Amino acid sequence: MSRDVDPFFQPISAMELARFAGVPTFMRLPHMTPDHPRFDDINIGLLGVPWDGGTTNRPGARHGPRQMRDLSTMIRAMNPVTNISPFASVNCADLGDVPPNPVDIQDSLNRVTDFISIMKKKNIVPMTAGGDHLVTLPILRALAIDGPLGLIQFDSHTDLFDSYFGGHKFTHGTPFRRAIEEGLVDPKRFVQVGIRGTAYNLDDIEWGMDQGVRIIRIEELFERGVPDVMAEVREIVGTLPTYCTYDIDFVDPTFAPGTGTPEIGGPNSFQAQQVVRELAGVNLVGADLVEVSPPLDSAGGTAWLGVSLIFELMCILSQSTEI
Ligand code: MN
Ligand code: MN
């Protein structure tokens, strides 16, 4: 996409204000709320969902957006591999955080849906930083109002379980089972990449396969290689509207230790970027990066990987046919 660059929507230059100075926003972009006079001109809205009320084991992802905002000030404007400059191609802004309710799951889910619904009405494509993986469910509720979406999930877990702790159906292990049941996702246009780790049982895998979900385990990704697998991913979702959800635990814990449920034997940080670059041409209507947990991230490297992947996703979103 070529157009005149809008100076208002450019990141603060590191030549004018050092990267470690000032109030951090995502990618040093302008912070805008719906009452801003130029809110309607936004194409991609970055937002945080600082909430981890769906977490079943080690918490901390509620602190993800704040640390990712901080580290995102190190991101420069151009992708060195694809030459895409998302901030020059489309208008990007930081829309702030969905205000969570830390003591009420359903209220928090509704708050996310309400926030994303405002964006959807304004044709602003959401790029969300979580939060735990349950935050994807209310995002899909807002985006799938015109019909079920395709879904590309990078994760070491399927998140397709039915319930936890005696019938509790809303956890970060269940969002995509709910999304299929609620008709938000077309299971035949749903592909999961990177699945691994010790298991409780095979209920999630078998249920997903029965629905038609394509589950690509890590062994298959490594045996076939990223380009071949991602060609199949693009084929599965086709040209219809599709959402991308990226759980940081897709990446090997050597590179992403700061997450609640790490699984060994995963992709390195280069392969983590590569799978996103292979999304070029997919009709993406939004994306998220979830499960970065700063309290478990002693050196901050996981949040840095997270925002670097958000930048890669923004490069793809900025070329999407939906914008
Ligand atoms: Mn997940
Ligand atoms: Mn996971």
Side-chain angles (χ1 to χ4, degrees):
M1 195 179 294
S2 68
R3 57 153 209 172
D4 292 335
V5 173
D6 188 328
F8 176 80
F9 286 97
Q10 296 314 298
I12 296 169
S13 167
M15 305 303 155
E16 292 168 18
L17 180 66
R19 294 188 178 278
F20 48 85
V23 177
T25 60
F26 277 121
M27 317 293 178
R28 313 191 99 198
L29 291 162
H31 173 222
M32 297 168 74
T33 50
D35 57 357
H36 192 283
R38 295 207 61 191
F39 192 79
D40 289 3
D41 297 335
I42 302 169
N43 300 119
I44 298 175
L46 285 143
L47 67 145
V49 181
W51 184 78
D52 57 15
T55 302
T56 54
N57 191 358
R58 303 192 301 166
R62 67 179 62 183
H63 302 292
R66 182 163 287 177
Q67 193 178 13
M68 284 195 274
R69 266 199 185 83
D70 186 2
L71 292 178
S72 76
T73 59
M74 292 200 290
I75 296 282
R76 304 182 192 89
M78 195 177 87
N79 189 309
V81 176
T82 62
N83 287 344
I84 295 171
S85 296
F87 315 126
S89 305
V90 294
N91 295 340
C92 304
D94 185 340
L95 308 194
D97 288 340
V98 177
N101 181 341
V103 295
D104 189 321
I105 289 178
Q106 296 305 328
D107 185 35
S108 292
L109 298 184
N110 290 335
R111 289 172 184 224
V112 176
T113 300
D114 291 348
F115 197 104
I116 302 288
S117 295
I118 292 169
M119 299 173 68
K120 166 90 173 147
K121 285 196 190 90
K122 301 284 188 184
N123 289 319
I124 302 172
V125 171
M127 176 66 243
T128 304
D132 72 41
H133 219 157
L134 185 54
V135 306
T136 308
L137 177 66
I139 295 170
L140 292 171
R141 284 174 176 164
L143 294 181
I145 53 171
D146 306 320
L149 298 169
L151 182 61
I152 300 167
Q153 177 186 356
F154 300 107
D155 204 325
S156 62
H157 314 99
T158 65
D159 301 343
L160 284 171
F161 284 100
D162 180 54
S163 59
Y164 282 61
F165 299 104
H168 289 276
K169 289 186 173 264
F170 296 93
T171 81
H172 68 163
T174 65
F176 303 112
R177 184 113 158 201
R178 298 292 90 79
I180 290 173
E181 290 171 349
E182 295 180 22
L184 310 175
V185 168
D186 176 355
K188 301 203 164 37
R189 296 181 53 240
F190 180 4
V191 53
Q192 304 183 313
V193 183
I195 306 305
R196 63 186 186 273
T198 51
Y200 295 112
N201 51 50
L202 292 176
D203 286 357
D204 57 330
I205 303 260
E206 288 172 357
W207 187 87
M209 288 174 70
D210 283 347
Q211 307 301 308
V213 179
R214 174 73 169 106
I215 299 172
I216 300 176
R217 292 186 51 87
I218 195 68
E219 293 80 7
E220 183 175 352
L221 180 65
F222 282 137
E223 281 161 19
R224 292 173 55 193
V226 167
D228 188 43
V229 162
M230 291 308 296
E232 184 190 345
V233 168
R234 292 193 299 271
E235 174 112 16
I236 289 168
V237 297
T239 56
L240 293 171
T242 296
Y243 186 83
C244 178
T245 184
Y246 200 128
D247 184 328
I248 197 73
D249 71 32
F250 168 74
V251 189
D252 191 271
T254 304
F255 304 91
T259 193
T261 45
E263 306 292 354
I264 65 163
N268 63 29
S269 57
F270 174 72
Q271 293 159 326
Q273 294 174 297
Q274 200 182 9
V275 293
V276 180
R277 290 172 186 157
E278 290 280 347
L279 295 176
V282 176
N283 181 3
L284 281 189
V285 298
D288 61 53
L289 187 292
V290 298
E291 298 284 357
V292 170
S293 178
L296 302 170
D297 192 17
S298 56
T302 310
W304 171 235
L305 177 59
V307 289
S308 300
L309 295 171
I310 286 174
F311 178 75
E312 294 289 342
L313 286 163
M314 290 183 74
C315 290
I316 301 296
L317 291 170
S318 72
Q319 310 292 301
S320 169
T321 54
E322 286 292 299
I323 292 178

